[in-house]
Amino acid sequence: MYYYLLIPAIIFALYAQLKVKLTFSKYSDINNQHGYTAKEVARRILDDNGLYNVSIEYIAGELTDHYDPTTNVIRLSESVYNSTSVAAIGVAAHEVGHAIQHAQGYTPIKIRQAIIPVTQIGSRLAVPLVLLGIVISAFDWLIPVGILLYTGVVLFQAVTLPVEFNASGRALRTLDDNLILYKDEVKQARKVLSAAAMTYVAAMFSALMSLLRLIAIANGGRRRR
C-alpha cells in the first residue's frame, strides 16, 4: 500500500528522461558555426584552466558522458566525442566543469565524494534493516539505523544538485565568454543542460519519496505489533 508514494516520483523520472532525450536529439541536428568538435572544445577549456593532466577518452553508448576523478579522465560518448552539434558541445563543456570543480576544491563536490560510501551502504541495506527490525522485535533498533542510512542517499542527491547546476553554469559562461559558441547557440546549449538537470531533480525527488515510504512502512509495522 505504500507504493503509492512512489508513483509521482516514477512519473517525474520518466518525464525527465524523455525530456532530456528529445532535447538532446533536437539540438544534435544543429552544428555550431565554428565547426568545433566536442572533444576540441573540451580540450581547449581544460588547457585554458591549466588542466593539462586531464585526458579525454571515447566511451560507447549515448549520454554516458562523465568525468572520472579517480583517473582524471573525461569520457565522452559516441554521440558527443566527435560531434560538432550544439548539444554535444554543451555536454562536453559540462563535464569539463566537473573537472574544474575537482581541481578548485569546490565544496559541494568534496561533500558528495565523502558521503559516497554511506550512500552505497544505505541504498543496499536500508530497506532490509527496517524490515528486519519490524519482523523481529528484539532488533527494532535497526529501524532507525536503516532510516538514517537511507537519509544519506537523500543527502547525496541533494548535494548533487548544486554540483550539477554549477558545472552547467561554468560551461555556459565559458562557451559564451570565450566566444566558442554564438549567443543563439549558447541558448540552445542551455536548453540541453537544463533538460539534463531535470533528471537530477527527479532523482532527488525519487530518493525523498523513497525515504518517506520507508518511514511509513516503519510506522505501519510498529502499529501492527
Side-chain angles (χ1 to χ4, degrees):
M1 65 177 291
Y2 299 112
Y3 275 101
Y4 72 90
L5 287 171
L6 299 181
I7 293 176
I10 293 171
I11 294 174
F12 188 14
L14 291 174
Y15 170 75
Q17 290 173 9
L18 179 61
K19 178 71 173 177
V20 72
K21 287 183 179 180
L22 291 177
T23 306
F24 183 82
S25 177
K26 177 180 178 180
Y27 292 106
S28 288
D29 293 331
I30 301 177
N31 295 321
N32 74 90
Q33 297 179 56
H34 291 298
Y36 300 136
T37 66
K39 179 189 175 183
E40 290 172 340
V41 169
R43 184 73 268 163
R44 172 178 169 180
I45 300 175
L46 287 170
D47 291 349
D48 286 347
N49 284 273
L51 299 180
Y52 307 106
N53 60 322
V54 178
S55 59
I56 303 171
E57 296 179 355
Y58 168 91
I59 187 172
E62 184 178 15
L63 296 179
T64 51
D65 313 85
H66 64 278
Y67 168 65
D68 184 352
T70 63
T71 57
N72 245 7
V73 174
I74 290 176
R75 297 187 176 93
L76 301 179
S77 64
E78 55 186 297
S79 56
V80 171
Y81 192 81
N82 281 319
S83 175
T84 58
S85 73
V86 172
I89 299 295
V91 170
H94 173 89
E95 298 307 329
V96 173
H98 286 311
I100 296 173
Q101 287 174 338
H102 276 274
Q104 295 181 350
Y106 181 59
T107 300
I109 207 166
K110 289 165 67 176
I111 295 174
R112 188 175 73 167
Q113 288 296 117
I115 63 177
I116 284 178
V118 176
T119 301
Q120 293 173 334
I121 294 172
S123 61
R124 295 190 184 100
L125 297 182
V127 174
L129 288 177
V130 169
L131 294 179
L132 184 61
I134 291 173
V135 173
I136 305 176
S137 298
F139 292 144
D140 61 355
W141 57 272
L142 290 175
I143 296 175
V145 172
I147 291 174
L148 183 62
L149 283 174
Y150 201 83
T151 301
V153 176
V154 176
L155 178 60
F156 175 83
Q157 296 296 345
V159 175
T160 294
L161 294 181
V163 170
E164 296 299 331
F165 293 157
N166 178 268
S168 291
R170 290 171 187 263
L172 294 169
R173 284 192 300 272
T174 299
L175 295 175
D176 190 15
D177 293 346
N178 294 356
L179 304 179
I180 296 173
L181 295 181
Y182 289 101
K183 294 291 184 181
D184 58 330
E185 294 173 335
V186 172
K187 291 180 180 179
Q188 293 165 346
R190 178 177 285 107
K191 291 181 179 179
V192 174
L193 296 182
S194 295
M198 190 180 298
T199 63
Y200 295 101
V201 176
M204 168 63 191
F205 183 61
S206 178
L208 183 58
M209 289 299 100
S210 294
L211 176 61
L212 292 178
R213 171 177 168 265
L214 197 58
I215 293 173
I217 290 173
N219 289 336
R222 284 173 175 143
R223 285 194 298 269
R224 285 193 293 271
R225 286 180 179 175

Short mmCIF file of all heavy atoms in Angstrom, two decimals, residues 105-158:
data_model
loop_
_atom_site.label_atom_id
_atom_site.label_comp_id
_atom_site.label_asym_id
_atom_site.label_seq_id
_atom_site.Cartn_x
_atom_site.Cartn_y
_atom_site.Cartn_z
N GLY A 105 38.69 22.41 -5.81
CA GLY A 105 38.22 22.02 -4.49
C GLY A 105 36.84 22.55 -4.16
O GLY A 105 36.58 22.97 -3.02
N TYR A 106 35.95 22.53 -5.14
CA TYR A 106 34.58 23.00 -4.95
C TYR A 106 33.92 22.22 -3.81
O TYR A 106 33.86 20.99 -3.83
CB TYR A 106 33.81 22.82 -6.27
CG TYR A 106 32.38 23.27 -6.27
CD1 TYR A 106 32.05 24.59 -5.98
CD2 TYR A 106 31.36 22.39 -6.59
CE1 TYR A 106 30.73 25.01 -6.01
CE2 TYR A 106 30.04 22.80 -6.63
CZ TYR A 106 29.74 24.11 -6.33
OH TYR A 106 28.42 24.51 -6.36
N THR A 107 33.45 22.93 -2.80
CA THR A 107 32.98 22.29 -1.56
C THR A 107 31.88 21.25 -1.75
O THR A 107 31.99 20.13 -1.22
CB THR A 107 32.52 23.36 -0.54
OG1 THR A 107 33.62 24.22 -0.24
CG2 THR A 107 32.03 22.71 0.74
N PRO A 108 30.79 21.54 -2.48
CA PRO A 108 29.74 20.52 -2.62
C PRO A 108 30.22 19.21 -3.24
O PRO A 108 29.77 18.13 -2.85
CB PRO A 108 28.71 21.22 -3.54
CG PRO A 108 28.88 22.66 -3.23
CD PRO A 108 30.35 22.84 -3.03
N ILE A 109 31.17 19.29 -4.18
CA ILE A 109 31.64 18.06 -4.80
C ILE A 109 32.53 17.28 -3.83
O ILE A 109 32.57 16.03 -3.87
CB ILE A 109 32.37 18.34 -6.13
CG1 ILE A 109 32.25 17.13 -7.06
CG2 ILE A 109 33.83 18.70 -5.93
CD1 ILE A 109 32.62 17.40 -8.49
N LYS A 110 33.21 17.97 -2.93
CA LYS A 110 34.00 17.29 -1.91
C LYS A 110 33.08 16.58 -0.92
O LYS A 110 33.36 15.46 -0.49
CB LYS A 110 34.90 18.30 -1.19
CG LYS A 110 36.04 18.82 -2.05
CD LYS A 110 36.68 20.06 -1.47
CE LYS A 110 37.39 19.79 -0.17
NZ LYS A 110 38.08 21.01 0.33
N ILE A 111 31.97 17.22 -0.58
CA ILE A 111 30.99 16.60 0.32
C ILE A 111 30.38 15.37 -0.34
O ILE A 111 30.24 14.32 0.29
CB ILE A 111 29.88 17.61 0.69
CG1 ILE A 111 30.47 18.78 1.49
CG2 ILE A 111 28.77 16.92 1.48
CD1 ILE A 111 29.48 19.89 1.77
N ARG A 112 30.06 15.50 -1.63
CA ARG A 112 29.45 14.37 -2.33
C ARG A 112 30.39 13.18 -2.38
O ARG A 112 29.98 12.04 -2.16
CB ARG A 112 29.05 14.78 -3.75
CG ARG A 112 28.24 13.71 -4.47
CD ARG A 112 27.74 14.16 -5.82
NE ARG A 112 28.79 14.25 -6.81
CZ ARG A 112 28.57 14.39 -8.12
NH1 ARG A 112 27.33 14.47 -8.57
NH2 ARG A 112 29.57 14.47 -8.96
N GLN A 113 31.66 13.43 -2.65
CA GLN A 113 32.63 12.34 -2.69
C GLN A 113 32.78 11.68 -1.32
O GLN A 113 32.92 10.46 -1.22
CB GLN A 113 34.00 12.88 -3.14
CG GLN A 113 34.08 13.26 -4.62
CD GLN A 113 33.88 12.07 -5.53
OE1 GLN A 113 32.92 12.02 -6.30
NE2 GLN A 113 34.78 11.11 -5.45
N ALA A 114 32.68 12.48 -0.27
CA ALA A 114 32.89 11.95 1.07
C ALA A 114 31.75 11.04 1.52
O ALA A 114 31.97 10.10 2.30
CB ALA A 114 33.04 13.11 2.07
N ILE A 115 30.53 11.31 1.05
CA ILE A 115 29.38 10.51 1.52
C ILE A 115 29.03 9.36 0.58
O ILE A 115 28.06 8.64 0.83
CB ILE A 115 28.14 11.39 1.75
CG1 ILE A 115 27.68 12.04 0.43
CG2 ILE A 115 28.42 12.44 2.80
CD1 ILE A 115 26.41 12.85 0.58
N ILE A 116 29.80 9.17 -0.49
CA ILE A 116 29.52 8.07 -1.41
C ILE A 116 29.50 6.71 -0.70
O ILE A 116 28.60 5.90 -0.93
CB ILE A 116 30.53 8.07 -2.58
CG1 ILE A 116 30.17 9.17 -3.59
CG2 ILE A 116 30.53 6.70 -3.30
CD1 ILE A 116 31.12 9.28 -4.76
N PRO A 117 30.48 6.40 0.18
CA PRO A 117 30.43 5.09 0.88
C PRO A 117 29.14 4.89 1.67
O PRO A 117 28.55 3.80 1.65
CB PRO A 117 31.65 5.14 1.80
CG PRO A 117 32.58 6.10 1.13
CD PRO A 117 31.70 7.14 0.54
N VAL A 118 28.68 5.94 2.37
CA VAL A 118 27.44 5.85 3.14
C VAL A 118 26.27 5.62 2.20
O VAL A 118 25.35 4.83 2.50
CB VAL A 118 27.23 7.13 3.96
CG1 VAL A 118 25.89 7.07 4.70
CG2 VAL A 118 28.36 7.32 4.96
N THR A 119 26.29 6.29 1.06
CA THR A 119 25.22 6.16 0.08
C THR A 119 25.15 4.73 -0.46
O THR A 119 24.06 4.16 -0.61
CB THR A 119 25.45 7.13 -1.09
OG1 THR A 119 25.50 8.47 -0.59
CG2 THR A 119 24.33 7.03 -2.11
N GLN A 120 26.29 4.16 -0.75
CA GLN A 120 26.32 2.79 -1.27
C GLN A 120 25.79 1.79 -0.26
O GLN A 120 25.04 0.87 -0.61
CB GLN A 120 27.76 2.43 -1.68
CG GLN A 120 28.27 3.23 -2.87
CD GLN A 120 29.74 3.00 -3.15
OE1 GLN A 120 30.51 2.65 -2.26
NE2 GLN A 120 30.15 3.19 -4.40
N ILE A 121 26.15 1.98 0.99
CA ILE A 121 25.66 1.09 2.05
C ILE A 121 24.16 1.29 2.25
O ILE A 121 23.38 0.33 2.34
CB ILE A 121 26.41 1.35 3.37
CG1 ILE A 121 27.88 0.97 3.21
CG2 ILE A 121 25.78 0.55 4.51
CD1 ILE A 121 28.74 1.37 4.40
N GLY A 122 23.74 2.55 2.31
CA GLY A 122 22.34 2.86 2.55
C GLY A 122 21.41 2.35 1.48
O GLY A 122 20.32 1.84 1.77
N SER A 123 21.82 2.47 0.22
CA SER A 123 20.96 2.03 -0.88
C SER A 123 20.74 0.53 -0.87
O SER A 123 19.72 0.03 -1.34
CB SER A 123 21.56 2.47 -2.22
OG SER A 123 22.84 1.89 -2.41
N ARG A 124 21.71 -0.22 -0.32
CA ARG A 124 21.61 -1.68 -0.29
C ARG A 124 20.96 -2.20 0.99
O ARG A 124 20.20 -3.18 0.95
CB ARG A 124 23.01 -2.31 -0.43
CG ARG A 124 23.70 -2.06 -1.76
CD ARG A 124 24.94 -2.92 -1.87
NE ARG A 124 25.69 -2.65 -3.10
CZ ARG A 124 26.77 -1.89 -3.16
NH1 ARG A 124 27.23 -1.32 -2.06
NH2 ARG A 124 27.40 -1.69 -4.31
N LEU A 125 21.28 -1.59 2.13
CA LEU A 125 20.90 -2.18 3.41
C LEU A 125 19.73 -1.50 4.12
O LEU A 125 19.16 -2.08 5.05
CB LEU A 125 22.11 -2.17 4.35
CG LEU A 125 23.31 -3.02 3.91
CD1 LEU A 125 24.40 -2.94 4.97
CD2 LEU A 125 22.89 -4.47 3.69
N ALA A 126 19.37 -0.30 3.73
CA ALA A 126 18.34 0.44 4.46
C ALA A 126 17.03 -0.33 4.57
O ALA A 126 16.50 -0.54 5.67
CB ALA A 126 18.11 1.80 3.81
N VAL A 127 16.49 -0.76 3.45
CA VAL A 127 15.20 -1.47 3.46
C VAL A 127 15.29 -2.80 4.21
O VAL A 127 14.43 -3.08 5.07
CB VAL A 127 14.69 -1.69 2.02
CG1 VAL A 127 13.43 -2.56 2.02
CG2 VAL A 127 14.39 -0.34 1.35
N PRO A 128 16.29 -3.66 3.94
CA PRO A 128 16.38 -4.91 4.71
C PRO A 128 16.48 -4.68 6.22
O PRO A 128 15.88 -5.43 7.01
CB PRO A 128 17.66 -5.56 4.17
CG PRO A 128 17.81 -5.02 2.80
CD PRO A 128 17.32 -3.60 2.88
N LEU A 129 17.22 -3.66 6.65
CA LEU A 129 17.36 -3.39 8.08
C LEU A 129 16.03 -2.98 8.71
O LEU A 129 15.67 -3.44 9.80
CB LEU A 129 18.40 -2.29 8.31
CG LEU A 129 19.87 -2.68 8.06
CD1 LEU A 129 20.77 -1.49 8.27
CD2 LEU A 129 20.29 -3.83 8.98
N VAL A 130 15.30 -2.12 8.01
CA VAL A 130 14.00 -1.69 8.52
C VAL A 130 13.04 -2.87 8.62
O VAL A 130 12.34 -3.06 9.63
CB VAL A 130 13.40 -0.58 7.64
CG1 VAL A 130 11.94 -0.31 8.02
CG2 VAL A 130 14.21 0.71 7.79
N LEU A 131 13.00 -3.69 7.57
CA LEU A 131 12.10 -4.84 7.56
C LEU A 131 12.47 -5.85 8.65
O LEU A 131 11.60 -6.42 9.31
CB LEU A 131 12.11 -5.51 6.18
CG LEU A 131 11.54 -4.68 5.03
CD1 LEU A 131 11.64 -5.45 3.72
CD2 LEU A 131 10.10 -4.28 5.31
N LEU A 132 13.76 -6.06 8.85
CA LEU A 132 14.21 -6.97 9.90
C LEU A 132 13.80 -6.45 11.27
O LEU A 132 13.37 -7.21 12.15
CB LEU A 132 15.73 -7.14 9.82
CG LEU A 132 16.35 -8.15 10.80
CD1 LEU A 132 15.79 -9.55 10.55
CD2 LEU A 132 17.88 -8.15 10.66
N GLY A 133 13.92 -5.14 11.46
CA GLY A 133 13.54 -4.53 12.72
C GLY A 133 12.05 -4.63 12.99
O GLY A 133 11.61 -4.73 14.14
N ILE A 134 11.26 -4.62 11.91
CA ILE A 134 9.80 -4.75 12.05
C ILE A 134 9.41 -6.19 12.39
O ILE A 134 8.57 -6.44 13.27
CB ILE A 134 9.09 -4.30 10.75
CG1 ILE A 134 9.25 -2.78 10.56
CG2 ILE A 134 7.61 -4.66 10.79
CD1 ILE A 134 8.74 -2.28 9.23
N VAL A 135 10.03 -7.13 11.71
CA VAL A 135 9.67 -8.55 11.88
C VAL A 135 10.13 -9.09 13.23
O VAL A 135 9.40 -9.85 13.89
CB VAL A 135 10.28 -9.39 10.73
CG1 VAL A 135 10.06 -10.88 10.98
CG2 VAL A 135 9.66 -8.98 9.40
N ILE A 136 11.33 -8.70 13.65
CA ILE A 136 11.89 -9.22 14.90
C ILE A 136 11.97 -8.09 15.92
O ILE A 136 12.78 -7.18 15.78
CB ILE A 136 13.28 -9.84 14.68
CG1 ILE A 136 13.22 -10.90 13.58
CG2 ILE A 136 13.82 -10.42 15.98
CD1 ILE A 136 14.56 -11.49 13.22
N SER A 137 11.10 -8.14 16.92
CA SER A 137 11.01 -7.06 17.91
C SER A 137 12.34 -6.77 18.60
O SER A 137 12.66 -5.62 18.91
CB SER A 137 9.95 -7.41 18.96
OG SER A 137 8.68 -7.54 18.36
N ALA A 138 13.10 -7.82 18.82
CA ALA A 138 14.39 -7.64 19.51
C ALA A 138 15.37 -6.78 18.71
O ALA A 138 16.31 -6.22 19.27
CB ALA A 138 15.00 -8.99 19.83
N PHE A 139 15.13 -6.72 17.42
CA PHE A 139 16.01 -5.94 16.55
C PHE A 139 15.36 -4.65 16.08
O PHE A 139 15.74 -4.10 15.05
CB PHE A 139 16.41 -6.78 15.33
CG PHE A 139 17.30 -7.95 15.65
CD1 PHE A 139 17.16 -9.14 14.96
CD2 PHE A 139 18.25 -7.86 16.66
CE1 PHE A 139 17.98 -10.23 15.25
CE2 PHE A 139 19.07 -8.94 16.95
CZ PHE A 139 18.93 -10.14 16.26
N ASP A 140 14.38 -4.15 16.84
CA ASP A 140 13.68 -2.94 16.39
C ASP A 140 14.59 -1.72 16.34
O ASP A 140 14.27 -0.72 15.71
CB ASP A 140 12.46 -2.66 17.26
CG ASP A 140 12.81 -2.43 18.73
OD1 ASP A 140 14.01 -2.58 19.08
OD2 ASP A 140 11.89 -2.12 19.50
N TRP A 141 15.75 -1.81 17.01
CA TRP A 141 16.71 -0.71 16.93
C TRP A 141 17.30 -0.56 15.53
O TRP A 141 17.90 0.48 15.20
CB TRP A 141 17.84 -0.94 17.94
CG TRP A 141 18.56 -2.26 17.77
CD1 TRP A 141 18.23 -3.45 18.34
CD2 TRP A 141 19.72 -2.50 16.96
NE1 TRP A 141 19.11 -4.44 17.94
CE2 TRP A 141 20.04 -3.88 17.09
CE3 TRP A 141 20.52 -1.70 16.15
CZ2 TRP A 141 21.11 -4.47 16.44
CZ3 TRP A 141 21.60 -2.27 15.49
CH2 TRP A 141 21.89 -3.64 15.64
N LEU A 142 17.10 -1.59 14.69
CA LEU A 142 17.61 -1.50 13.31
C LEU A 142 16.75 -0.57 12.46
O LEU A 142 17.22 -0.09 11.42
CB LEU A 142 17.62 -2.90 12.68
CG LEU A 142 18.66 -3.89 13.21
CD1 LEU A 142 18.47 -5.25 12.55
CD2 LEU A 142 20.08 -3.37 12.96
N ILE A 143 15.53 -0.31 12.90
CA ILE A 143 14.64 0.55 12.10
C ILE A 143 15.20 1.96 11.95
O ILE A 143 15.36 2.44 10.82
CB ILE A 143 13.22 0.58 12.73
CG1 ILE A 143 12.60 -0.82 12.67
CG2 ILE A 143 12.34 1.59 12.00
CD1 ILE A 143 11.24 -0.91 13.37
N PRO A 144 15.53 2.65 13.05
CA PRO A 144 16.11 4.00 12.88
C PRO A 144 17.47 3.97 12.17
O PRO A 144 17.83 4.92 11.48
CB PRO A 144 16.23 4.53 14.31
CG PRO A 144 16.20 3.32 15.18
CD PRO A 144 15.32 2.34 14.48
N VAL A 145 18.21 2.88 12.35
CA VAL A 145 19.51 2.76 11.66
C VAL A 145 19.29 2.72 10.15
O VAL A 145 19.98 3.41 9.39
CB VAL A 145 20.27 1.49 12.12
CG1 VAL A 145 21.52 1.28 11.26
CG2 VAL A 145 20.66 1.60 13.58
N GLY A 146 18.32 1.90 9.71
CA GLY A 146 18.02 1.81 8.28
C GLY A 146 17.55 3.13 7.72
O GLY A 146 17.96 3.55 6.62
N ILE A 147 16.68 3.82 8.47
CA ILE A 147 16.17 5.12 8.00
C ILE A 147 17.30 6.14 7.93
O ILE A 147 17.38 6.93 6.98
CB ILE A 147 15.05 5.60 8.94
CG1 ILE A 147 13.82 4.70 8.78
CG2 ILE A 147 14.68 7.06 8.65
CD1 ILE A 147 12.70 5.00 9.76
N LEU A 148 18.19 6.11 8.92
CA LEU A 148 19.33 7.04 8.91
C LEU A 148 20.23 6.78 7.72
O LEU A 148 20.72 7.72 7.08
CB LEU A 148 20.10 6.90 10.22
CG LEU A 148 21.30 7.87 10.39
CD1 LEU A 148 20.80 9.31 10.39
CD2 LEU A 148 22.04 7.55 11.68
N LEU A 149 20.47 5.52 7.42
CA LEU A 149 21.32 5.17 6.28
C LEU A 149 20.70 5.68 4.97
O LEU A 149 21.41 6.20 4.10
CB LEU A 149 21.52 3.66 6.20
CG LEU A 149 22.52 3.05 7.19
CD1 LEU A 149 22.51 1.53 7.08
CD2 LEU A 149 23.93 3.59 6.93
N TYR A 150 19.39 5.53 4.84
CA TYR A 150 18.76 5.99 3.60
C TYR A 150 18.71 7.52 3.53
O TYR A 150 18.69 8.09 2.45
CB TYR A 150 17.35 5.41 3.43
CG TYR A 150 16.93 5.44 1.98
CD1 TYR A 150 17.33 4.42 1.11
CD2 TYR A 150 16.23 6.51 1.46
CE1 TYR A 150 17.00 4.46 -0.23
CE2 TYR A 150 15.89 6.57 0.11
CZ TYR A 150 16.28 5.54 -0.72
OH TYR A 150 15.97 5.59 -2.06
N THR A 151 18.73 8.15 4.68
CA THR A 151 18.81 9.62 4.69
C THR A 151 20.10 10.08 4.02
O THR A 151 20.15 11.13 3.39
CB THR A 151 18.75 10.15 6.14
OG1 THR A 151 17.53 9.73 6.74
CG2 THR A 151 18.80 11.68 6.16
N GLY A 152 21.15 9.25 4.14
CA GLY A 152 22.40 9.54 3.46
C GLY A 152 22.25 9.54 1.95
O GLY A 152 22.88 10.33 1.25
N VAL A 153 21.38 8.66 1.43
CA VAL A 153 21.10 8.62 -0.01
C VAL A 153 20.43 9.92 -0.45
O VAL A 153 20.77 10.51 -1.47
CB VAL A 153 20.20 7.42 -0.36
CG1 VAL A 153 19.84 7.43 -1.84
CG2 VAL A 153 20.89 6.11 0.01
N VAL A 154 19.47 10.38 0.37
CA VAL A 154 18.77 11.63 0.07
C VAL A 154 19.75 12.80 0.11
O VAL A 154 19.72 13.69 -0.75
CB VAL A 154 17.62 11.87 1.06
CG1 VAL A 154 16.94 13.22 0.80
CG2 VAL A 154 16.59 10.75 0.96
N LEU A 155 20.64 12.79 1.10
CA LEU A 155 21.64 13.86 1.22
C LEU A 155 22.55 13.88 0.00
O LEU A 155 22.88 14.95 -0.53
CB LEU A 155 22.47 13.66 2.49
CG LEU A 155 23.60 14.66 2.72
CD1 LEU A 155 23.04 16.07 2.83
CD2 LEU A 155 24.39 14.30 3.99
N PHE A 156 22.93 12.70 -0.48
CA PHE A 156 23.79 12.61 -1.66
C PHE A 156 23.10 13.25 -2.86
O PHE A 156 23.71 14.02 -3.61
CB PHE A 156 24.11 11.15 -1.96
CG PHE A 156 24.90 10.95 -3.23
CD1 PHE A 156 26.27 11.09 -3.23
CD2 PHE A 156 24.26 10.62 -4.42
CE1 PHE A 156 27.01 10.91 -4.40
CE2 PHE A 156 24.98 10.44 -5.59
CZ PHE A 156 26.36 10.58 -5.58
N GLN A 157 21.83 12.93 -3.06
CA GLN A 157 21.08 13.51 -4.18
C GLN A 157 20.92 15.01 -4.02
O GLN A 157 20.97 15.76 -5.00
CB GLN A 157 19.71 12.84 -4.30
CG GLN A 157 19.75 11.36 -4.65
CD GLN A 157 20.35 11.09 -6.02
OE1 GLN A 157 20.49 11.99 -6.84
NE2 GLN A 157 20.72 9.84 -6.28
N ALA A 158 20.75 15.46 -2.78
CA ALA A 158 20.60 16.90 -2.53
C ALA A 158 21.89 17.65 -2.86
O ALA A 158 21.85 18.74 -3.46
CB ALA A 158 20.21 17.13 -1.07
#
